[in-house]
Structures are given as structure tokens and as C-alpha cells.
Amino acid sequence: MDMGLSERQDTLKNVARDFLTKENPESLVRALEQDEKGYSLELWRKMADRGWMGLIIPQEYGGSGLGPSDLVVLMEEFGRALVMGPYLSSSVMGALPLIEAGSEDQRRQILPRVASGELLLALALTEPSARWDAEGVQMEARREGSEYALSGKKLFVADAQVSDNLVVAARTSRGGAPEDGITLFLLPSRSQGIGIQVLNTVAGDKQCEMTFENVRAATASVIGRVDTGWPVIEKTKRIATLATCAYLVGLSQTDFDITLNYAKERTQFGRPIGSFQAIQHKLADASVDVDSARSITYRAAWSVQEEQPDATAFVSIAKAWVSEASRRVVAHGQQIHGGIGFTKDYRIQLYFRRQKWLEMMWGDADHHREALAQLMGI
């Protein structure tokens, strides 16, 4: 396995870094935390012009047709710059179920508009149990003639407040394994009976609580086949989890860079604090965590792209490690900055708060340890 970037990926990385340094300054990140939409339409259009919205969408549907290894390159740069907005929720979490199982009509109607940045998707999966496994899907979809009626609640739905369409996971039958009887539906976000409330979060991101009260869904809105939606979610989870890991890697790298510069410049007792052994060891540990997190994320991305038999295991290994490694990095950053690191005037707290959200997204370290144990048959 070659861990180096291809020429295309190296170009993508450099272009993204230059663009985001200019177009996504800290002032915009702070402003978007307070913005109702949670993203800049101007920045969104500029990113769409660069083809990023359709990065993993097949070429026949208006995208670039690139793979997970390319996606993690872009997402690492997003993490470095703390890009906010519905990229992950729309172009990855929302688009992948349609790429994997959507009908030709669904794909041609939706995917080109996602790739152009015109249309936004959101994935309504998790519920009040906050579980990321199949057992967490309890919302019912009852068959009533030529339609389904969806009733229940979804929680922590990213960017639902600005989405045009939803991919909704619901139970159409019960009995057997938890993975059985789950169906995916493609619904307009403003369908009658859908309520959306934006939650107040520590990271300033836009997660929503959604209520479904007898929401009508035509049979044509089913993605794939009835009762067989969970394998589609599993494939979506793998790539979305990789993207989350890559964002955390970029976030951790910038947090480390900020802290290292601070340790060189901040003086105490007549010398830079970076000259003290305790600070040196924290920075050394953080450097190891960032580098190992990057390596394991890219290893997992390669495994998924090459459809290796151990791909699922490597994704869980990556998320378990990156979740805790990034937490250690931002904790060291806060400790080295001292009390000022927790004030909103300082940039470092932006990375600390964003890490808390992404550590939990698609399952924390314990969730993926359990997943690994099951794959090992124990």
C-alpha cells in the first residue's frame, strides 16, 4: 500500500488549502456559529464551482466520480479550516444512499443538483436513543394503500433546517434481527407533518430534532427495496465515518500548530514555556497523536476504496483511535494555553468545541470497540 498522495490528490490538497485560507477565515467561522443557516451561500457556491459538492458522485450524474481516498484529502483540509455547513450531511451522508441504492429516476432528479450545489440533502437516522446501530431505528413507517405513513422522532439530524430533501430511515416491519425491516425514504424536507427544531450545541453546529406526524410517503419515494435499507446505511456509515476522521485529523493538526507556536512565543519565568519538559512532552504526545491519526485514517480509506475484506474493521479502528487521539490533542492545547484557552477571544477554543461534536458523530471510541469485538467474534 502506497501511503503517498497521487498527483491529483496533492493538487486537490493544495488548491483546497489555498482557497480555504482565503475564503474561510476565522471571522467567518465565528459568524456562522451564530447564523441561523449555519453556512455561507457565497462560500458554498464557490466550493460548488470547484466540483467539491460532487466529488464522490458518479460522472454520469454530474459529479467527479472520485473515491474515499480523495474525499479524506478534502475533508482533512475542511478540518484544518473548520469549514461549517452541510457538505458532509448533503454531499456524503445524503448522497451516498442514492448512489448506492436509488432508482435511476431518483438519481437523475437529485444527484446532479447536489453536485452543482443547488440542492441540499440531510440524513435522518439517529433517534432519542442516540444509537448508531440498527437497533436505534425505531420510527415506524406503516403501509397504507399506495403510501406509507411515517411517525416518530429523529434527533441530531445535521443541517436539516436548510435541507431540501431528506433520506429517512424507518421500520417497515419487525421481527428477526434488528437489521431487518428498515427502509429508506426520500422525502421533501418541508412535507406536511414534519417539524424541525435546531438544537443549541457546544460546537455551534446545526443539529436538529425532527418530528414526523403521519407523514405521507409514496412508494416511489422508497430508496432501494423495502425492508433492506440497513446494508445501504452500513456502506454510507463507512465512508461518512472516514470523512469525519479526516476532518478530525485536520482539526487536530491546526490545533497542534497553534499550540506549538504559542509554546514558542509565550514566556514565563524569563523563558519560553516550550522550554519546560512538561510542555515539551505534551507537544510530543500531540505530534504522535496527529501523525498516527492521519496514517490510520488514510489506511482505512485505502481499504474501503480497494474493497478489502477487512475494510469495515479498519474504519472502526480508525474512528476509535482518532476520536480519542483528537481529544488528547485539543486537551493538551487547552492546558498549554492555560485559562485563556477557554475564552472565546482565543482561536484555540473553536477547535476544542468542534472536536467534542465530531468525536461522537458516527459513534465514539467505545461504540467502535464494540463493533470490532463483534467482528472478531467475541
Side-chain angles (χ1 to χ4, degrees):
M1 181 187 65
D2 183 3
M3 291 292 289
L5 298 183
S6 68
E7 183 178 350
R8 179 187 67 220
Q9 291 169 340
D10 197 52
T11 299
L12 175 62
K13 178 190 72 173
N14 292 330
V15 168
R17 187 171 301 181
D18 291 344
F19 172 82
L20 293 172
T21 298
K22 177 183 177 182
E23 300 291 343
N24 192 68
E26 178 187 344
S27 58
L28 179 60
V29 175
R30 290 177 177 272
L32 292 180
E33 286 194 341
Q34 308 302 321
D35 187 86
E36 291 183 359
K37 298 188 302 296
Y39 78 108
S40 163
L41 185 57
E42 180 184 0
L43 178 61
W44 186 260
R45 288 170 175 165
K46 289 179 179 180
M47 293 194 299
D49 289 342
R50 283 156 177 77
W52 295 348
M53 305 310 167
L55 190 79
I56 61 173
I57 293 175
Q59 292 180 340
E60 59 264 38
Y61 303 113
S64 301
L66 301 183
S69 293
D70 304 287
L71 178 63
V72 297
V73 172
L74 181 62
M75 290 303 298
E76 182 177 348
E77 296 308 314
F78 275 30
R80 282 177 178 266
L82 288 187
V83 174
M84 299 189 70
Y87 182 84
L88 183 57
S89 54
S90 182
S91 294
V92 181
M93 293 156 54
L96 280 169
L98 292 169
I99 295 170
E100 179 64 28
S103 67
E104 189 62 20
D105 185 54
Q106 289 171 336
R107 290 171 178 169
R108 295 207 175 276
Q109 283 190 24
I110 301 295
L111 292 178
R113 297 171 67 196
V114 173
S116 69
E118 174 190 354
L119 185 142
L120 299 177
L121 301 174
L123 175 63
L125 174 62
T126 50
E127 300 186 9
S129 66
R131 298 180 62 144
W132 292 98
D133 56 10
E135 199 166 333
V137 180
Q138 295 297 322
M139 190 174 81
E140 292 189 348
R142 303 183 310 276
R143 183 69 181 262
E144 296 182 358
S146 61
E147 296 181 321
Y148 288 87
L150 281 67
S151 296
K153 182 180 289 187
K154 293 291 182 180
L155 202 56
F156 312 121
V157 181
D159 304 302
Q161 84 288 352
V162 293
S163 66
D164 299 293
N165 290 84
L166 300 167
V167 175
V168 184
R171 285 209 173 268
T172 41
S173 66
R174 296 185 181 274
E179 294 78 10
D180 299 333
I182 295 175
T183 301
L184 300 179
F185 296 88
L186 178 66
L187 300 175
S189 300
R190 301 302 180 267
S191 296
Q192 185 174 357
I194 293 180
I196 302 175
Q197 179 180 353
V198 179
L199 303 173
N200 185 21
T201 68
V202 67
D205 59 308
K206 303 303 183 244
Q207 299 182 50
C208 300
E209 177 181 325
M210 303 190 67
T211 55
F212 293 74
E213 297 182 5
N214 201 34
V215 177
R216 315 308 290 187
T219 54
S221 67
V222 172
I223 300 174
R225 293 184 294 115
V226 174
D227 290 343
T228 62
W230 189 252
V232 178
I233 291 294
E234 285 282 13
K235 292 182 179 181
T236 300
K237 282 174 62 177
R238 279 199 291 271
I239 297 178
T241 301
L242 284 172
T244 302
C245 287
Y247 194 107
L248 280 168
V249 170
L251 176 157
S252 299
Q253 181 67 66
T254 301
D255 189 285
F256 170 77
D257 292 341
I258 293 170
T259 305
L260 178 62
N261 289 333
Y262 180 81
K264 292 178 178 179
E265 296 171 358
R266 175 77 166 98
T267 59
Q268 189 62 268
F269 306 111
R271 52 195 281 202
I273 62 172
S275 66
F276 293 100
Q277 186 182 68
I279 303 296
Q280 292 172 350
H281 284 192
K282 285 183 182 295
L283 287 167
D285 287 343
S287 179
V288 171
D289 276 333
V290 172
D291 192 62
S292 58
R294 178 178 293 111
S295 296
I296 202 168
T297 296
Y298 279 75
R299 169 65 176 86
W302 176 86
S303 182
V304 171
Q305 184 150 314
E306 296 299 318
E307 299 181 350
Q308 296 292 302
D310 56 2
T312 299
F314 266 104
V315 171
S316 281
I317 291 169
K319 187 56 167 67
W321 176 262
V322 174
S323 291
E324 294 192 338
S326 61
R327 187 204 307 165
R328 291 191 293 267
V329 171
V330 299
H332 287 330
Q334 293 287 2
Q335 291 161 4
I336 291 171
H337 276 78
I340 62 170
F342 290 89
T343 65
K344 287 197 172 183
D345 290 339
Y346 275 74
R347 184 183 178 193
I348 197 76
Q349 52 82 26
L350 294 169
Y351 295 83
F352 182 89
R353 291 190 290 107
R354 194 67 57 84
Q355 188 279 335
K356 293 302 175 187
W357 159 47
L358 292 168
E359 179 183 346
M360 305 303 295
M361 193 171 188
W362 295 109
D364 63 1
D366 285 344
H367 170 86
H368 286 280
R369 289 188 185 103
E370 291 290 336
L372 279 168
Q374 292 177 15
L375 289 172
M376 291 186 289
I378 55 176

